[in-house]
Amino acid sequence: MRLSADSSSPDFHAWEVRNAKIYLDGREVQHFRLADEERGYVIVSPVDGAGRFLLEGDEIATQLCYGEVRILLPERSPRCDAAGGA
């Protein structure tokens, strides 16, 4: 499964972005931008010690992290409902 927080992406599903739990190597990931279970990577927006997003110039920084990715959706995900089961 692949899930994006970018609303212009075909992998964007607003309800799931708000409710999914993303794990990388067993640890929950915060501030993800893209998670891909099959390819084994997560793109995150890193934060500083005060919880503020890091910047690269005028843009929010991103960090590519590789490992075992798990995307856990709540039991009643609209995507599961549309597919006819969960």
Side-chain angles (χ1 to χ4, degrees), residues 5-75:
D6 178 356
S7 63
S8 66
S9 169
D11 299 310
F12 174 77
H13 303 276
W15 189 88
E16 292 174 358
V17 168
R18 287 191 305 275
N19 294 287
K21 300 283 186 188
I22 310 298
Y23 293 89
L24 178 66
D25 295 331
R27 300 180 80 175
E28 188 172 359
V29 174
Q30 301 295 319
H31 312 297
F32 87 97
R33 310 237 348 223
L34 178 70
D36 191 315
E37 289 178 313
E38 291 179 17
R39 293 187 175 148
Y41 70 87
V42 178
I43 299 174
V44 298
S45 297
V47 296
D48 65 15
R52 297 177 297 229
F53 289 110
L54 298 178
L55 298 177
E56 289 179 353
D58 293 337
E59 301 289 323
I60 294 175
T62 60
Q63 183 177 9
L64 178 61
C65 305
Y66 288 97
E68 182 184 346
V69 177
R70 291 184 57 222
I71 301 172
L72 298 181
L73 300 175
E75 206 171 294

